[in-house]
Amino acid sequence: AQSVTQLGSHVSVSEGALVLLRCNYSSSVPPYLFWYVQYPNQGLQLLLKYTTGATLVKGINGFEAEFKKSETSFHLTKPSAHMSDAAEYFCAVTVWSFQKLVFGTGTRLLVSP
Amino acid sequence: DVKVTQSSRYLVKRTGEKVFLECVQDMDHENMFWYRQDPGLGLRLIYFSYDVKMKEKGDIPEGYSVSREKKERFSLILESASTNQTSMYLCASSPPGQIYEQYFGPGTRLTVT
């Protein structure tokens, strides 16, 4: 079975600082990995995805993530945080033959001026 | 843009009531999903549907049922609401073959008293 673990339920950064949100996955077959973002009072939206090919993937709003098989990780980064990045971020995993996404427990990103 | 709408943003019901949560998507998507979102638990899949009149149990179907009579509409039913069903309910849809690229509605926050 597939699963993801998000380390840290809350991450606080200052505006302009590096954002690093951690996600580790477990899968016995090659995974497909995703980051979703949920802004306050909204549903989730897809931020970026890795299925096959290039292991460094870029998403919306300057975010990127790198698939590292040796570390079973898919951490989300952004070089410089903006106040508008404050949201909850969810990592998710599936495999090509699986019929559903498995979500992590989420990390709330707080950005201070 | 894909639009997924949910019938209510906030709902308060009494224990034992029958509750209907409605979800409508406007992009002719085959797949539709119901999740509940709880702090510290992330998103958990309740039911999903690949087509009209088809449904599959997710990870936590107990106490819930669903109905999909039309392609664009997916209803979640709480036969007899209980206080432990107080939660945020999220509906999502996705195109065929792209189960992971899900588009979410804004959610319904249900309180059962």
Side-chain angles (χ1 to χ4, degrees), chain B residues 35-109:
Chain B
Y35 296 90
R36 64 176 283 175
Q37 181 180 10
D38 299 287
L41 297 178
L43 275 73
R44 293 179 291 167
L45 183 63
I46 305 172
Y47 268 96
F48 57 107
S49 169
Y50 294 127
D51 205 346
V52 176
K53 297 191 184 296
M54 296 186 70
K55 59 185 179 183
E56 297 283 343
K57 292 181 179 179
D59 299 316
I60 52 164
E62 297 78 19
Y64 303 94
S65 63
V66 291
S67 172
R68 193 163 180 203
E69 296 296 320
K70 294 185 177 182
K71 192 174 187 179
E72 67 271 18
R73 187 179 297 270
F74 193 35
S75 302
L76 180 69
I77 303 158
L78 287 66
E79 294 291 342
S80 177
S82 64
T83 55
N84 62 13
Q85 291 178 310
T86 291
S87 186
M88 171 69 84
Y89 289 88
L90 293 171
C91 176
S93 70
S94 73
Q98 296 184 41
I99 201 95
Y100 48 80
E101 191 148 357
Q102 297 183 15
Y103 297 82
F104 283 80
T108 295
R109 185 167 295 282

Side-chain angles (χ1 to χ4, degrees), chain A residues 1-4 25-34 50-53 55 67-70 72-74 92-101, chain B residues 100:
Chain A
Q2 294 76 40
S3 67
V4 290
Y25 69 89
S26 173
S27 177
S28 57
V29 297
Y32 292 174
L33 294 158
F34 312 88
Y50 167 79
T51 53
T52 57
T55 56
F67 170 61
K68 292 188 177 181
K69 184 179 178 181
S70 60
T72 61
S73 69
F74 191 59
V93 65
T94 191
V95 297
W96 74 270
S97 58
F98 204 44
Q99 297 173 330
K100 53 188 181 181
L101 282 173
Chain B
Y100 48 80

Side-chain angles (χ1 to χ4, degrees), chain A residues 18-68:
Chain A
L18 172 71
V19 175
L20 171 60
L21 304 183
R22 299 178 186 275
C23 173
N24 288 89
Y25 69 89
S26 173
S27 177
S28 57
V29 297
Y32 292 174
L33 294 158
F34 312 88
W35 278 98
Y36 278 79
V37 59
Q38 184 180 31
Y39 297 106
N41 299 314
Q42 296 184 28
L44 280 71
Q45 65 181 89
L46 183 63
L47 194 57
L48 51 77
K49 64 185 179 188
Y50 167 79
T51 53
T52 57
T55 56
L56 180 64
V57 292
K58 296 185 185 297
I60 59 174
N61 301 333
F63 284 92
E64 61 183 36
E66 187 170 11
F67 170 61
K68 292 188 177 181

